[in-house]
Amino acid sequence: MAERVEFKRTIGLFMAVMIGIGAMMGPGIFALPGVVADMLGPIGFSVYLVMGLITIFTALNYAELGAALPVAGGGYSFVSLTLPRPVAFLTGWFFWIGNVAACGLYAVIFSLTVKTYFVPDANAFLIALVTALFFGLVNLRGMGEALIFITVMNLIELVVLLGIAGLGIFDVEAPNLLPLAPMGLGPYPTGMALIYISFVGYELITVAAEEIKNPGRTIPRAILITLGIGTAIYVFVVFVMMGSVHYTELAKSDVPFIYFAEHVAGGWGRWAAVIATIMASLSAFAVTLGASARVLYALSRDGHFPKIFSRIHPRFRTPHIALAACTVFTVVLAGAGVVELIAAVADFGFLMGLGFVNYAVIALRKKMPALRRPFAAGFFPWIPIIGIVTCWVFVPALHTESLVLGSLMTVVGMIVYAIKPENRAELGRAGEVVARVRRYLAARKRKKMRVLIIGGGRQGQNIAKRLVLQEEHHAVFREAAHQITFIEPDEARCRELEVRFGVPIFQGDGTKREILEQVGAANVDIVIAASNDDGRNVIAAIQAKQLGMDRVIAVVQDPDYLPMLEAEGVVAISAPWATAAMVETYIDRPGVAELFEISSGAANLLGVIVPEGATVSGTQIKAIEIPRQCVIAAVIRDKQFVVPRGDTTIEAGDEVIFVGPPEDVNKANEVFTARRP
């Protein structure tokens, strides 16, 4: 058996930071400030500060994951260990496409810069090809070898950025910064979405995790140092640019930093800025090419792509086949030369993938609670939740072509995933889960009903309180509370109802036909006679029924009234056992056969008629998801008692008797009465 070849750990803290800086401090700082100036004016410099503060949540999540799971592949590997395979594949697919597209973008920017300032007659595609081949060979020798070039280019870029900005600070003038927000703050969110790509890069540190020394300590420190340095440089440089040159002049230039450098330092400043732009493009290209190869390696290692891409070079210990494939794809994209098209795919891929990685922190805590975490972000689960929101909130702000191309790439990714038979089976199981979720949500979805309550005393108010669902945990599952109307004769109580519920109130006698006519049968879905007088409730209920109000409930204490009410088609609830929850059950679940409260509400016994087309019809009890605390006590079929066992098949028309806590009994009822879409 051949010896397994693994990565070689050669990267320390400084070099890890260089990976992040090389990817983060890309060519965007040399071009985007002009667009920001045109969009926001001088206040545009603060967008970089706000984005840095927002990005810290995702950075903290990456730091926790990278320290706990130092494996090659970065964000994809984190998701693959915590979330379902289809989700993991899509995350890796997004990152791989995003990284390769970003490589193509950097190659195009480098080629156009060389062509514009040095060799006007040169072939841009040939420049991109030579660049890709060169850095492909450099990455082949190992990330440590590539980092030598990356570090040199990073230092040149940073010296120019800080040097020119340091000179420019003496040219900052207040009039250039006023008015601070000439376009208002309306375009601010769009400006944030525009520069988001400038803050992508620190996460690539985790892609090379298997080549980093002492990853539990090094990765978190490198990520946070990278983000801190990058944000500080962005804010400083863009502030000086805005203060030294009027924003309207910056907005006119396609290369605003070069324009600014020439304004501050003359001709030599212009050429220094050109060199820095080239260094930024090449540094970002080299880092991202290596990262894309390692993502492809991880996808192949996990069986999503042919195993050939997960081979490690026996001498250099790098994923040479994956690297060659990414180099080829980069050259193809660069040859297209459509910068905006390439960037659009990259933006969508990064934002979607980063959102899934943030969620992986939550999933990891639940799935692997015993996993040692050398670094913990804290404030769980709020930091992961905020990280998800701050990634996906920018997706709708992307250009239309980003969304269209991103959606297309999602479809292509799922087609690629479905090529393998075992993956198709996995998707089939995922489809069953989706169908179950849809059935569950359909069962939880209750119609908003117009409810007339006759009697505003304690009993009527308790019912109203239950139906308007002031309890937050109930409101989560309903589209809306029921619309309540009261009939109450007492003026003082009417005022009390106005203050407490703020609903329509008819002051009068609910047993009188004219009052019920004023309410109108067409304006009521259900009537509840809930005063403290049995006789009045019986009269009001029968009057409502005769006026054409279809669903009528009467709350009575004397069981002698029950036959009379049932003969009129009125649902009668006997007061000694009546609660607001029981009334709600009759309103929302008309298929309920009977409900009794046990031990003052500790448990309910509920009978449910399984309707035609129910999702559980034809299903064995053991295959039905019944709440844990709920028990099927009996099944009545054709007036015959059926002992409920695991292999008992539920049929339409069965009366199923549940026993359990009220909440679990209600959930069981929803499962057994839900109908197929």
Side-chain angles (χ1 to χ4, degrees), residues 3-7 96 132-133 135-143 211 289-298 300 306-329:
E3 181 182 358
R4 183 169 180 255
V5 182
E6 297 180 342
F7 288 102
W96 182 57
L133 292 176
F135 282 105
L137 291 173
V138 170
N139 272 285
L140 172 64
R141 297 181 61 86
M143 186 61 81
E211 297 161 87
L289 181 62
S292 63
R294 283 155 180 79
V295 174
L296 179 58
Y297 159 85
S300 171
K307 284 295 182 182
I308 189 173
F309 294 118
S310 61
R311 291 183 182 177
I312 300 295
H313 195 281
R315 177 183 174 188
F316 300 119
R317 301 193 201 178
T318 53
H320 56 299
I321 306 297
L323 181 62
C326 291
T327 302
V328 171
F329 278 113

Coordinates of all heavy atoms in Angstrom, one line a residue, residues 3-7 96 132-133 135-143 211 289-298 300 306-329:
E3 N 2.4 4.9 0.6 CA 2.3 5.8 1.7 C 1.5 7.0 1.4 O 1.7 7.6 0.3 CB 3.8 6.2 2.1 CG 3.8 7.1 3.3 CD 5.3 7.5 3.6 OE1 6.2 7.0 2.9 OE2 5.5 8.3 4.6
R4 N 0.7 7.4 2.3 CA -0.1 8.6 2.1 C 0.7 9.9 2.2 O 1.4 10.1 3.2 CB -1.3 8.7 3.2 CG -2.2 9.8 2.9 CD -3.4 9.7 3.8 NE -4.3 10.8 3.5 CZ -4.5 11.8 4.4 NH1 -3.8 11.8 5.5 NH2 -5.3 12.8 4.1
V5 N 0.6 10.7 1.2 CA 1.4 12.0 1.2 C 0.5 13.1 1.7 O -0.7 13.2 1.3 CB 1.8 12.3 -0.3 CG1 2.6 13.6 -0.3 CG2 2.6 11.2 -0.9
E6 N 1.0 13.8 2.7 CA 0.3 14.9 3.3 C 0.9 16.2 3.1 O 2.1 16.3 2.7 CB 0.1 14.6 4.8 CG -0.6 13.3 5.1 CD -0.8 13.1 6.6 OE1 0.0 13.7 7.4 OE2 -1.6 12.3 7.0
F7 N 0.2 17.3 3.5 CA 0.8 18.6 3.4 C 1.9 18.8 4.4 O 2.0 18.1 5.4 CB -0.3 19.7 3.7 CG -1.3 19.8 2.6 CD1 -2.6 19.2 2.7 CD2 -1.0 20.5 1.4 CE1 -3.5 19.4 1.7 CE2 -2.0 20.7 0.4 CZ -3.2 20.1 0.6
W96 N -15.2 27.6 -4.7 CA -14.3 27.3 -5.8 C -14.6 28.2 -7.0 O -13.6 28.8 -7.5 CB -14.5 25.8 -6.2 CG -13.5 25.4 -7.3 CD1 -12.2 25.5 -7.3 CD2 -13.9 24.9 -8.6 NE1 -11.6 25.1 -8.5 CE2 -12.7 24.7 -9.3 CE3 -15.1 24.6 -9.2 CZ2 -12.6 24.2 -10.6 CZ3 -15.0 24.1 -10.5 CH2 -13.8 23.9 -11.2
A132 N -0.5 33.3 -15.2 CA -1.1 32.2 -14.6 C -0.2 31.0 -14.5 O -0.1 30.3 -13.5 CB -2.4 31.8 -15.4
L133 N 0.6 30.8 -15.6 CA 1.5 29.7 -15.6 C 2.6 29.9 -14.6 O 3.1 29.0 -13.9 CB 2.1 29.5 -17.0 CG 1.1 29.0 -18.1 CD1 1.8 29.0 -19.5 CD2 0.6 27.6 -17.8
F135 N 2.6 31.7 -11.8 CA 2.2 31.5 -10.4 C 1.7 30.1 -10.1 O 1.6 29.7 -9.0 CB 1.2 32.6 -10.0 CG 1.8 33.9 -9.7 CD1 1.8 35.0 -10.6 CD2 2.6 34.1 -8.5 CE1 2.4 36.2 -10.3 CE2 3.2 35.3 -8.2 CZ 3.1 36.4 -9.2
G136 N 1.2 29.4 -11.2 CA 0.9 28.0 -11.0 C 2.1 27.2 -10.6 O 2.1 26.4 -9.7
L137 N 3.2 27.5 -11.3 CA 4.5 26.8 -11.0 C 5.0 27.2 -9.6 O 5.5 26.3 -8.8 CB 5.5 27.1 -12.0 CG 5.3 26.5 -13.4 CD1 6.3 27.1 -14.4 CD2 5.3 25.0 -13.4
V138 N 4.8 28.5 -9.2 CA 5.3 28.9 -7.9 C 4.5 28.2 -6.8 O 5.0 27.7 -5.8 CB 5.1 30.4 -7.8 CG1 5.3 30.9 -6.3 CG2 6.1 31.2 -8.7
N139 N 3.1 28.1 -7.0 CA 2.3 27.4 -6.0 C 2.5 25.9 -6.0 O 2.3 25.3 -5.0 CB 0.8 27.7 -6.4 CG 0.3 28.9 -5.7 OD1 0.0 29.0 -4.5 ND2 0.1 30.0 -6.5
L140 N 3.0 25.4 -7.1 CA 3.3 24.0 -7.2 C 4.4 23.6 -6.1 O 4.4 22.6 -5.5 CB 3.8 23.6 -8.6 CG 4.3 22.1 -8.7 CD1 3.2 21.1 -8.4 CD2 4.8 21.9 -10.1
R141 N 5.3 24.5 -6.0 CA 6.4 24.2 -5.1 C 6.0 24.4 -3.6 O 6.8 24.1 -2.7 CB 7.6 25.2 -5.4 CG 8.2 25.0 -6.8 CD 9.3 25.9 -7.0 NE 10.4 25.7 -6.1 CZ 11.4 24.8 -6.2 NH1 11.4 24.0 -7.3 NH2 12.4 24.7 -5.3
G142 N 4.8 24.8 -3.3 CA 4.3 24.9 -2.0 C 3.9 26.3 -1.6 O 4.4 27.3 -2.1
M143 N 3.0 26.4 -0.7 CA 2.5 27.7 -0.2 C 3.6 28.5 0.4 O 3.7 29.7 0.3 CB 1.3 27.5 0.8 CG 0.7 28.9 1.2 SD -0.1 29.8 -0.2 CE -1.6 28.9 -0.4
E211 N -1.2 23.5 6.3 CA 0.2 23.9 6.1 C 0.6 24.9 7.1 O 1.7 25.5 7.0 CB 0.3 24.4 4.7 CG 0.1 23.4 3.6 CD -0.2 24.0 2.3 OE1 0.7 24.2 1.5 OE2 -1.4 24.2 2.0
L289 N -5.2 31.8 -6.3 CA -5.0 30.6 -7.1 C -4.7 29.4 -6.2 O -5.2 28.3 -6.4 CB -3.9 30.8 -8.1 CG -3.5 29.6 -9.0 CD1 -4.7 29.3 -9.9 CD2 -2.3 29.9 -9.9
G290 N -3.8 29.6 -5.2 CA -3.5 28.5 -4.3 C -4.7 28.1 -3.5 O -4.9 26.9 -3.2
A291 N -5.5 29.0 -3.1 CA -6.7 28.7 -2.3 C -7.7 27.9 -3.1 O -8.4 27.0 -2.7 CB -7.4 30.0 -1.8
S292 N -7.9 28.3 -4.4 CA -8.9 27.7 -5.2 C -8.5 26.2 -5.5 O -9.3 25.3 -5.5 CB -9.0 28.4 -6.6 OG -7.8 28.4 -7.3
A293 N -7.2 26.0 -5.6 CA -6.7 24.6 -5.8 C -7.0 23.7 -4.5 O -7.4 22.6 -4.6 CB -5.2 24.6 -6.1
R294 N -6.9 24.3 -3.3 CA -7.1 23.6 -2.1 C -8.6 23.3 -1.9 O -9.0 22.3 -1.3 CB -6.4 24.3 -1.0 CG -4.9 24.1 -0.9 CD -4.2 25.2 -0.2 NE -2.7 24.9 -0.3 CZ -1.9 25.1 -1.3 NH1 -2.4 25.6 -2.5 NH2 -0.6 24.8 -1.3
V295 N -9.4 24.2 -2.4 CA -10.9 24.0 -2.3 C -11.3 22.8 -3.2 O -12.0 21.9 -2.8 CB -11.7 25.2 -2.6 CG1 -13.2 24.9 -2.7 CG2 -11.4 26.3 -1.6
L296 N -10.7 22.8 -4.4 CA -11.0 21.7 -5.4 C -10.4 20.4 -4.8 O -11.1 19.4 -4.9 CB -10.3 22.1 -6.7 CG -10.5 21.0 -7.8 CD1 -12.0 20.7 -8.1 CD2 -9.8 21.4 -9.1
Y297 N -9.3 20.5 -4.2 CA -8.7 19.3 -3.5 C -9.7 18.7 -2.5 O -9.9 17.5 -2.4 CB -7.3 19.7 -2.9 CG -6.9 18.7 -1.8 CD1 -6.2 17.5 -2.1 CD2 -7.2 19.0 -0.5 CE1 -5.8 16.7 -1.1 CE2 -6.8 18.1 0.5 CZ -6.1 16.9 0.2 OH -5.7 16.1 1.2
A298 N -10.2 19.6 -1.7 CA -11.1 19.1 -0.6 C -12.4 18.6 -1.2 O -12.9 17.6 -0.7 CB -11.4 20.3 0.3
S300 N -12.7 17.1 -4.0 CA -12.3 15.8 -4.6 C -12.1 14.8 -3.5 O -12.5 13.6 -3.6 CB -11.1 15.9 -5.4 OG -10.6 14.7 -5.8
P306 N -13.7 13.9 -9.3 CA -12.8 12.7 -9.4 C -11.7 12.7 -8.5 O -11.1 13.8 -8.2 CB -12.4 12.8 -10.9 CG -13.5 13.5 -11.6 CD -14.0 14.5 -10.6
K307 N -11.3 11.6 -8.0 CA -10.2 11.5 -7.0 C -8.9 12.0 -7.5 O -8.0 12.3 -6.6 CB -10.1 10.0 -6.6 CG -11.2 9.5 -5.6 CD -11.1 10.2 -4.3 CE -12.2 9.7 -3.3 NZ -12.1 10.5 -2.1
I308 N -8.7 12.1 -8.8 CA -7.4 12.6 -9.3 C -7.1 13.9 -8.8 O -5.9 14.3 -8.6 CB -7.4 12.5 -10.8 CG1 -6.0 12.8 -11.4 CG2 -8.4 13.5 -11.4 CD1 -5.9 12.6 -12.9
F309 N -8.1 14.8 -8.5 CA -7.9 16.1 -8.0 C -7.4 16.2 -6.6 O -7.0 17.2 -6.1 CB -9.1 17.0 -8.2 CG -9.5 17.2 -9.7 CD1 -10.7 16.8 -10.1 CD2 -8.6 17.9 -10.5 CE1 -11.0 16.9 -11.5 CE2 -9.0 18.1 -11.9 CZ -10.2 17.6 -12.3
S310 N -7.5 15.1 -5.9 CA -7.1 15.1 -4.5 C -5.7 14.5 -4.3 O -5.3 14.2 -3.2 CB -8.1 14.3 -3.6 OG -8.2 13.0 -4.0
R311 N -5.0 14.3 -5.4 CA -3.6 13.8 -5.3 C -2.7 14.8 -4.8 O -2.8 16.0 -5.2 CB -3.2 13.2 -6.6 CG -3.9 12.0 -7.1 CD -3.3 11.4 -8.4 NE -4.1 10.3 -8.8 CZ -3.8 9.6 -10.0 NH1 -2.9 10.1 -10.8 NH2 -4.5 8.6 -10.3
I312 N -1.7 14.4 -4.0 CA -0.7 15.4 -3.5 C 0.7 15.0 -4.1 O 1.0 13.9 -4.2 CB -0.6 15.2 -1.9 CG1 -1.9 15.6 -1.3 CG2 0.5 16.2 -1.4 CD1 -2.3 17.0 -1.4
H313 N 1.4 16.0 -4.6 CA 2.7 15.8 -5.3 C 3.6 15.2 -4.3 O 3.8 15.7 -3.1 CB 3.2 17.1 -5.8 CG 4.3 17.0 -6.8 ND1 5.6 16.7 -6.3 CD2 4.4 17.0 -8.1 CE1 6.4 16.6 -7.4 NE2 5.7 16.8 -8.5
P314 N 4.3 14.1 -4.6 CA 5.1 13.4 -3.6 C 6.3 14.2 -3.2 O 6.8 14.0 -2.0 CB 5.6 12.1 -4.4 CG 5.4 12.5 -5.8 CD 4.2 13.4 -5.9
R315 N 6.8 15.1 -4.0 CA 8.0 15.9 -3.6 C 7.6 17.2 -3.0 O 8.1 17.6 -1.9 CB 8.8 16.2 -4.8 CG 10.0 17.1 -4.6 CD 10.8 17.3 -5.8 NE 11.9 18.3 -5.6 CZ 12.6 18.8 -6.5 NH1 12.4 18.5 -7.8 NH2 13.6 19.7 -6.2
F316 N 6.7 18.0 -3.6 CA 6.3 19.3 -3.1 C 5.2 19.3 -2.1 O 4.9 20.3 -1.5 CB 6.0 20.2 -4.3 CG 7.1 20.4 -5.3 CD1 6.9 20.0 -6.6 CD2 8.3 20.9 -4.9 CE1 7.9 20.1 -7.6 CE2 9.3 21.1 -5.9 CZ 9.2 20.7 -7.2
R317 N 4.5 18.2 -2.0 CA 3.3 18.1 -1.1 C 2.3 19.2 -1.4 O 1.8 19.8 -0.4 CB 3.8 18.1 0.3 CG 4.8 16.9 0.7 CD 4.9 16.8 2.1 NE 6.1 16.1 2.5 CZ 6.6 15.9 3.7 NH1 5.8 16.3 4.8 NH2 7.7 15.3 4.0
T318 N 2.0 19.3 -2.6 CA 0.9 20.3 -3.0 C -0.1 19.6 -3.9 O 0.3 18.6 -4.5 CB 1.5 21.5 -3.7 OG1 2.3 21.0 -4.8 CG2 2.4 22.4 -2.8
P319 N -1.4 20.1 -3.9 CA -2.4 19.4 -4.8 C -2.2 19.8 -6.2 O -2.9 20.7 -6.8 CB -3.7 20.0 -4.2 CG -3.3 21.3 -3.7 CD -1.9 21.2 -3.1
H320 N -1.2 19.2 -6.9 CA -0.7 19.6 -8.2 C -1.8 19.4 -9.3 O -1.9 20.3 -10.2 CB 0.6 18.9 -8.6 CG 0.4 17.4 -8.6 ND1 0.1 16.6 -7.5 CD2 0.6 16.5 -9.6 CE1 0.1 15.4 -7.8 NE2 0.4 15.2 -9.0
I321 N -2.6 18.4 -9.3 CA -3.6 18.2 -10.3 C -4.7 19.3 -10.2 O -5.1 19.9 -11.2 CB -4.2 16.8 -10.2 CG1 -3.1 15.7 -10.3 CG2 -5.2 16.6 -11.4 CD1 -2.3 15.7 -11.6
A322 N -5.1 19.5 -9.0 CA -6.1 20.5 -8.7 C -5.6 21.9 -9.1 O -6.3 22.7 -9.7 CB -6.6 20.5 -7.2
L323 N -4.3 22.1 -8.8 CA -3.7 23.4 -9.1 C -3.6 23.6 -10.7 O -3.9 24.7 -11.2 CB -2.3 23.5 -8.6 CG -1.5 24.8 -8.8 CD1 -2.2 25.9 -8.1 CD2 -0.1 24.6 -8.2
A324 N -3.3 22.6 -11.4 CA -3.3 22.7 -12.8 C -4.7 23.0 -13.4 O -4.8 23.8 -14.3 CB -2.7 21.4 -13.4
A325 N -5.7 22.3 -12.9 CA -7.0 22.5 -13.3 C -7.5 24.0 -13.1 O -8.1 24.6 -14.0 CB -8.0 21.5 -12.7
C326 N -7.2 24.5 -11.9 CA -7.6 25.9 -11.6 C -6.8 26.9 -12.4 O -7.4 27.9 -12.8 CB -7.3 26.1 -10.1 SG -8.4 25.2 -9.0
T327 N -5.6 26.6 -12.7 CA -4.8 27.5 -13.6 C -5.4 27.5 -15.0 O -5.6 28.6 -15.6 CB -3.4 27.0 -13.7 OG1 -2.8 26.9 -12.4 CG2 -2.5 27.9 -14.6
V328 N -5.9 26.4 -15.5 CA -6.5 26.3 -16.8 C -7.8 27.1 -16.8 O -8.1 27.9 -17.7 CB -6.8 24.9 -17.3 CG1 -7.6 24.8 -18.5 CG2 -5.4 24.2 -17.5
F329 N -8.6 26.9 -15.8 CA -9.9 27.6 -15.7 C -9.7 29.2 -15.6 O -10.4 29.9 -16.2 CB -10.7 27.2 -14.5 CG -11.5 25.9 -14.8 CD1 -11.2 24.7 -14.1 CD2 -12.6 25.9 -15.6 CE1 -11.9 23.6 -14.4 CE2 -13.3 24.8 -15.9 CZ -13.0 23.6 -15.2

